[in-house]
Amino acid sequence: MDSLRYGILGPLRLVHVPGQPLKAAKPRQLLATLLLHPNRFVSTDLIADALWENTPPRSATANIRTYVRALRGVLQDAGLPAPIDTSAAGYSIEVGVDELDASLFESLLAEGGHLRDQGDGRQAMQVLSRAYSLWRGRPLEDLPMPAAWEGSIARLEAQHRGLVDGLLDLRLEYGDVSGAAVLLSARLTEDPYDEQLWRRLVDALVAAGRVGEARAAYAKAVQTLADELDIKPGPELEAAGARAENGRSANWPNPGIPADRTTERAEPTAQPGPMAAPELTDPLRPPSQLPLDLADFSGRQELLDQLRDLVCGRDPVRPPIAVISGAPGTGKTSLAVRLGHLVREYFPDGQIYLDMHGATHPRDPAAALTDLLLSLNLPDYAIPTDPERRSAMLRSELASRRVLIILDDVATAGQVTPLMPGTGASAVVVTSRNRLMDLAGADSTPLDTFDDREAALLLSSVAGDGRIDPTSPEAEEILAACANLPLAIRIVGSRLAQRPDLSARELARRLRDEASRLDELSIGELAVRSSADLSYGALSPEEARLYRLIGHFAVGVFSARALEAVASPAAVRRSLDRLIEVNLVRISSVDERGTARYRVHDLLRLHALGVGDNEQKAQAVRDVEAVVDAILNKIRRANNALSFEYFGVLEHTGPLTAPDPSPFTETDAIAWFDSERSTFVPAIRAAAQNGLHEHAWRIAAAWGPYLDLRAGFDDWNSSHQQGLRSAIACGNRRGEAIMHRNLGQLALYQDDWENARRHFDAAVQVFAEVGDRLGEGVAAVGLGTWLRERGEREKGLEQYEKAIQAFVEDGNANAEALARTAAANVYLVRGDLTTARRYLAQAFLIAVRRADAHREAKVRRRIAALRVHQGRHDEAVRQLRKALAIFDGMGDDHCAAYTRALLGQALMERGEVATARRTLLDAIDIGHRLGDRSVEGEAAQHLSELYLSTGSLDNARRTLERAARVWQQAGNDAAAAECRRMLAGFEAGAAAG
């Protein structure tokens, strides 16, 4: 480690440099920002956010240049000549893996994990111990922590937590009891209420022969649990205490290692089955979504040159926007795709293609914004729910990138205006049947039909070598009948290519008849139908069956994997190859592994719906049922792998209806949900459209745990609205109740009080009718929360107590823990701290003994609230940080936002003003992004109190005004009124002054 030059795993350090050569605050903040993103260009906007939070001065760019020059000089004087590069993309610092402790830390983690996976546990333990030794404290703990660093710091801290857990297992496994005891003691300092940690420490000390210390540790555990939680040790900890008393360990040399961890590494990796989770690609890879270029593209050269000059321009202020407009069949999409391939090298940050479906069902701009942000590798949980904020985020992301965006088949300017970049070097190409003259900043390129030369070249190219002489009378007659329209020429050229028995002379003769020419050359749906009918007639029975399935199921882009529920992978691919050949299906994109994704035009999908006899159409519906059934079973399999228990009613709790070819790990399950998220809502709609309503509502209900974890409110609403209609349509009352409860919970999250009450009332009634005690309890908790938030706490408490009784009768300990936690909150507000403490202790014990980390974190948050009421703010902060680590590790932004709001309050009470301010600002931002006004209002109100305590009256007034406005929007009149009273106090004080 002698080669280390920089350290960020703790206070910022310049290693082996005496003294403190870098003293100025802004250059230190700048260096830290660059080191958090080593060897990558960091945009000026991100640096400005790191240096000045959300209020950079007008001279920010010039100031940053000054700081960079100063930083270069300091590093050179200190003998650290790491170059800081400058480009249009921003600034970058070049450091080797062994020169920065964070890079070396991540490298050692990867090496240790590889060694462990290969079975070399001892060597892995040594490597991971080296990584552990690099950690000197919270990353950059000596510097102000701007929001711009949050993601990078959270990733490093999550890696450190995983390292500690993995190293602990290895040290226990290989007999390093001293090292294990050190790790366990450190963990218990942070979390003294974890029975499993105490049990493992007692067993480790006994195995090391340190029996006296083991007995002392057990006694301390008993005392801590009694004093803090008023509970006795569980059976496992009690057994460890007995072993300490007897001086023997039950399972050394492997104390406390969960069986699934030790066996998991030894199990061979199963081969993926037909519906196995897809291998995830590198999320940082630039998008490359251009459809395949037409090999026989011809013509339009002059327009291509003009468009190339436009989109590759170097205007630093105005991003180029090209609109290619024209009638159907003029080749707008083909031209845009050809242009995209020609200019790929000018757009190194990616090329994105999005079909806006303007001719059929125009895509909603808000959904299109989400697709664009996901394509730019933003995680779905970071995307705001508000469309205007999504649009602003897109502009920010594009400002420092060179990305080409093709928006195909746009209906109106309003459909794509929110998708436009504001500045930078990205470019947009739009195709539309309309000229879109009202699209601001766009350059219009109207398309007409081909000239005679271009038309003849296209006909010859599509028909193939030797099929037709482009200068012959037959060719001239065919082209005249086609009126040089590119689509019509392609249709007749394809016929010549696919029908060796059809001569050019015969084709020309058919086209002479004006009565039949529309059937041969009509534009739009009829033209598509004619071409599709010809191709469909050449299909084998196997190919035709797949085509009909695609018509009934596929919407937009789809994968071959989704169709493998009805045929073998090889058969599906053979049929797809044939469908591509006859132009009924096209390849949309091919990823770096060579895996293709396919698409069907909406009109072709309608064609596929109409072909075949009655039995074949019925078979297509049965095939759709097989596909959605496979999707449903895979969701169930993924749910089985999740470590947390879902508070809700699942649609299915019995054995899987299909065998499990390869069980998920939790990481794989969440990654699969993340990667396939966009398929579920279309699958639900496809099921409903085909009368498969039972599958529709079940898929909606089945992915409820993931939606709750990721706060996927848009998908939640879309899937459950259709799910409710389908449950009613198929007469499944229990399904109807589940949909009502879930929609009520969503409305509660979004402060939609009227709909929340309506759905909860319906859920309570229907669950009671069908005799579902678990459902009654879950719905009662939702109704209780509604009553509590509307100021009717005592009625809310009645609902919580009813829920506890229902859960005890049902034997559902997880739900009981949640209901007790909710009831404790009411007792806390009442001032009945004794009852609140007892309820929380019972809930915590349930969560820990069931190893449900998510429920444990939620209870910890409520325990922290109790500690705040008791004035024990140090303990509250410790509980909240542990809860926040769990929520962040799971990607649960929603629960994390509420935890941050309370943590900010506790930190403020402890006098940690700067940290409290950052924490509260984070909570406000997350709440605003998720559309949860309650957490936004709570955090804003705490922040105004913080500003008031520091004498920052203007900030206090402004923040309190925001809190009042947000509480009013949330429908919380009491909280809004309290904020207004505080504001009136401000005004009175100002007038008196």
Side-chain angles (χ1 to χ4, degrees), residues 825-847:
N825 188 55
V826 179
Y827 286 117
L828 200 60
V829 175
R830 258 191 194 179
D832 186 352
L833 303 188
T834 301
T835 305
R837 177 182 177 183
R838 175 167 55 85
Y839 270 53
L840 288 172
Q842 292 167 332
F844 183 81
L845 194 60
I846 291 172

Side-chain angles (χ1 to χ4, degrees), residues 611-940:
V611 296
D613 57 30
N614 289 337
E615 172 53 31
Q616 289 171 331
K617 291 177 181 177
Q619 180 62 53
V621 175
R622 292 193 292 270
D623 287 343
V624 173
E625 183 175 11
V627 170
V628 295
D629 193 62
I631 291 173
L632 177 58
N633 272 278
K634 192 160 186 181
I635 294 175
R636 292 169 177 170
R637 288 174 48 214
N639 282 339
N640 288 343
L642 300 179
S643 62
F644 63 89
E645 290 193 53
Y646 170 57
F647 182 73
V649 184
L650 291 172
E651 50 81 36
H652 175 85
T653 55
L656 298 175
T657 59
D660 190 348
S662 55
F664 278 110
T665 65
E666 181 174 29
T667 300
D668 288 341
I670 293 177
W672 177 76
F673 274 125
D674 286 342
S675 64
E676 294 297 312
R677 175 173 174 168
S678 62
T679 67
F680 300 132
V681 173
I684 291 167
R685 290 173 178 162
Q689 288 170 5
N690 286 277
L692 303 172
H693 293 292
E694 193 74 22
H695 281 85
W697 80 259
R698 287 186 182 277
I699 293 175
W703 75 321
Y706 171 79
L707 289 170
D708 206 358
L709 176 68
R710 285 287 193 250
F713 295 163
D714 287 348
D715 288 337
W716 189 331
N717 183 63
S718 297
S719 61
H720 279 66
Q721 291 291 353
Q722 178 58 63
L724 178 59
R725 291 191 293 269
S726 288
I728 294 172
C730 66
N732 192 310
R733 294 286 280 165
R734 181 171 177 271
E736 182 182 344
I738 293 173
M739 293 295 100
H740 274 302
R741 180 267 163 189
N742 290 0
L743 285 168
Q745 189 66 34
L746 173 62
L748 198 65
Y749 285 156
Q750 297 183 311
D751 304 315
D752 184 357
W753 304 108
E754 182 178 349
N755 279 323
R757 183 62 189 260
R758 177 171 60 84
H759 285 299
F760 280 135
D761 284 343
V764 168
Q765 177 183 344
V766 179
F767 275 130
E769 289 177 8
V770 300
D772 188 327
R773 287 294 282 156
L774 173 63
E776 285 185 76
V778 171
V781 169
L783 185 56
T785 301
W786 189 95
L787 290 164
R788 185 193 73 198
E789 291 297 316
R790 303 305 290 164
E792 301 182 57
R793 294 191 183 93
E794 297 306 316
K795 291 183 179 180
L797 183 59
E798 291 177 8
Q799 293 295 325
Y800 291 149
E801 295 290 359
K802 288 180 182 179
I804 292 172
Q805 182 61 37
F807 297 144
V808 170
E809 292 177 14
D810 189 70
N812 193 311
N814 170 61
E816 180 191 345
L818 184 140
R820 289 189 181 279
T821 305
N825 188 55
V826 179
Y827 286 117
L828 200 60
V829 175
R830 258 191 194 179
D832 186 352
L833 303 188
T834 301
T835 305
R837 177 182 177 183
R838 175 167 55 85
Y839 270 53
L840 288 172
Q842 292 167 332
F844 183 81
L845 194 60
I846 291 172
V848 171
R849 289 179 176 173
R850 293 177 66 84
D852 187 339
H854 195 260
R855 179 65 54 222
E856 174 191 337
K858 288 190 172 183
V859 180
R860 285 181 184 279
R861 193 175 74 213
R862 294 303 185 189
I863 291 174
L866 172 64
R867 297 303 183 228
V868 169
H869 274 72
Q870 295 172 327
R872 297 160 66 178
H873 298 104
D874 289 346
E875 296 175 28
V877 168
R878 186 170 64 246
Q879 292 282 359
L880 288 166
R881 282 179 169 160
K882 182 65 177 178
L884 188 59
I886 294 172
F887 290 137
D888 284 344
M890 289 183 167
D892 187 348
D893 266 6
H894 197 228
C895 289
Y898 279 96
T899 306
R900 282 185 169 88
L902 185 55
L903 177 58
Q905 180 190 12
L907 288 168
M908 177 176 61
E909 296 292 345
R910 272 206 328 187
E912 298 183 37
V913 174
T915 307
R917 174 179 168 273
R918 289 193 301 271
T919 304
L920 291 169
L921 284 170
D922 289 344
I924 291 171
D925 287 344
I926 296 171
H928 187 72
R929 170 168 59 81
L930 296 178
D932 191 323
R933 298 182 181 91
S934 293
V935 68
E936 183 182 355
E938 178 184 339

Side-chain angles (χ1 to χ4, degrees), residues 530-564:
S530 298
S531 178
D533 283 340
L534 183 62
S535 299
Y536 178 77
L539 299 179
S540 69
E542 182 182 65
E543 295 159 357
R545 177 182 175 182
L546 190 71
Y547 178 63
R548 292 190 295 270
L549 166 61
I550 290 172
H552 283 75
F553 171 75
V555 178
V557 176
F558 64 95
S559 66
R561 189 188 302 274
L563 308 179
E564 290 171 3

Side-chain angles (χ1 to χ4, degrees), residues 61-221:
T61 301
N63 291 354
I64 290 171
R65 285 197 296 268
T66 301
Y67 298 146
V68 169
R69 285 195 298 269
L71 181 57
R72 283 175 175 147
V74 170
L75 295 181
Q76 186 173 2
D77 293 343
L80 298 172
I84 298 179
D85 291 336
T86 306
S87 77
Y91 298 92
S92 169
I93 187 167
E94 182 179 342
V95 292
V97 171
D98 58 347
E99 294 178 328
L100 173 64
D101 59 358
S103 297
L104 181 58
F105 174 76
E106 293 183 321
S107 176
L108 291 171
L109 278 186
E111 180 184 353
H114 176 73
L115 289 168
R116 182 181 56 204
D117 294 341
Q118 296 299 313
D120 193 350
R122 290 189 183 276
Q123 185 64 28
M125 182 172 63
Q126 295 178 12
V127 172
L128 293 176
S129 295
R130 286 182 62 204
Y132 181 74
S133 69
L134 291 170
W135 200 268
R136 296 176 288 111
R138 191 163 192 261
L140 300 170
E141 62 186 12
D142 61 328
L143 297 177
M145 197 70 62
W149 290 0
E150 182 184 24
S152 299
I153 298 294
R155 175 177 55 81
L156 288 170
E157 290 182 328
Q159 289 174 330
H160 180 253
R161 289 192 296 271
L163 165 66
V164 172
D165 288 341
L167 187 55
L168 176 60
D169 285 348
L170 288 169
R171 287 181 175 178
L172 289 171
E173 186 173 354
Y174 291 101
D176 182 7
V177 290
S178 297
V182 169
L183 291 173
L184 285 165
S185 297
R187 286 285 304 276
L188 282 164
T189 300
E190 301 173 358
D191 193 359
Y193 310 124
D194 192 323
E195 287 185 277
Q196 290 302 316
L197 289 178
W198 283 113
R199 192 265 301 172
R200 296 174 81 180
L201 178 60
V202 171
D203 272 342
L205 291 171
V206 170
R210 296 155 62 179
V211 177
E213 293 178 58
R215 292 171 181 166
Y218 177 70
K220 185 175 181 181

Side-chain angles (χ1 to χ4, degrees), residues 425-700:
S426 294
V428 181
V429 178
V430 175
T431 73
S432 177
R433 297 186 180 194
N434 304 311
R435 288 183 176 269
L436 305 185
M437 298 300 291
D438 53 342
L439 183 58
D443 291 271
S444 180
T445 303
L447 285 191
D448 203 344
T449 57
F450 276 161
D451 61 31
D452 291 344
R453 183 185 60 83
E454 290 176 327
L457 286 175
L458 178 61
L459 177 61
S460 177
S461 176
V462 175
D465 293 341
R467 284 295 286 129
I468 187 170
D469 178 359
T471 63
S472 66
E474 293 86 358
E476 291 180 2
E477 188 173 357
I478 290 171
L479 293 173
C482 293
N484 285 2
L485 185 68
L487 177 59
I489 297 168
R490 188 167 292 280
I491 289 173
V492 296
S494 297
R495 290 183 180 178
L496 289 172
Q498 296 174 17
R499 294 281 304 275
D501 61 320
L502 179 63
S503 68
R505 182 174 298 175
E506 173 60 17
L507 180 57
R509 186 193 64 78
R510 295 181 182 182
L511 292 173
R512 290 183 195 132
D513 185 358
E514 292 184 353
S516 62
R517 188 181 300 170
L518 289 177
D519 293 333
E520 303 288 344
L521 299 176
S522 59
I523 299 172
E525 180 179 355
L526 291 178
V528 171
R529 179 180 289 122
S530 298
S531 178
D533 283 340
L534 183 62
S535 299
Y536 178 77
L539 299 179
S540 69
E542 182 182 65
E543 295 159 357
R545 177 182 175 182
L546 190 71
Y547 178 63
R548 292 190 295 270
L549 166 61
I550 290 172
H552 283 75
F553 171 75
V555 178
V557 176
F558 64 95
S559 66
R561 189 188 302 274
L563 308 179
E564 290 171 3
V566 298
S568 69
V572 168
R573 280 161 177 75
R574 281 196 307 269
S575 295
L576 276 175
D577 287 344
R578 177 58 177 157
L579 292 174
I580 293 168
E581 290 175 7
V582 298
N583 296 315
L584 294 176
V585 172
R586 62 180 294 186
I587 297 176
S588 174
S589 61
V590 180
D591 64 23
E592 66 281 355
R593 298 189 308 274
T595 303
R597 292 182 70 83
Y598 308 90
R599 64 190 302 266
V600 179
H601 193 282
D602 285 343
L603 296 178
L604 280 175
R605 190 174 71 86
L606 294 176
H607 171 267
L609 284 170
V611 296
D613 57 30
N614 289 337
E615 172 53 31
Q616 289 171 331
K617 291 177 181 177
Q619 180 62 53
V621 175
R622 292 193 292 270
D623 287 343
V624 173
E625 183 175 11
V627 170
V628 295
D629 193 62
I631 291 173
L632 177 58
N633 272 278
K634 192 160 186 181
I635 294 175
R636 292 169 177 170
R637 288 174 48 214
N639 282 339
N640 288 343
L642 300 179
S643 62
F644 63 89
E645 290 193 53
Y646 170 57
F647 182 73
V649 184
L650 291 172
E651 50 81 36
H652 175 85
T653 55
L656 298 175
T657 59
D660 190 348
S662 55
F664 278 110
T665 65
E666 181 174 29
T667 300
D668 288 341
I670 293 177
W672 177 76
F673 274 125
D674 286 342
S675 64
E676 294 297 312
R677 175 173 174 168
S678 62
T679 67
F680 300 132
V681 173
I684 291 167
R685 290 173 178 162
Q689 288 170 5
N690 286 277
L692 303 172
H693 293 292
E694 193 74 22
H695 281 85
W697 80 259
R698 287 186 182 277
I699 293 175

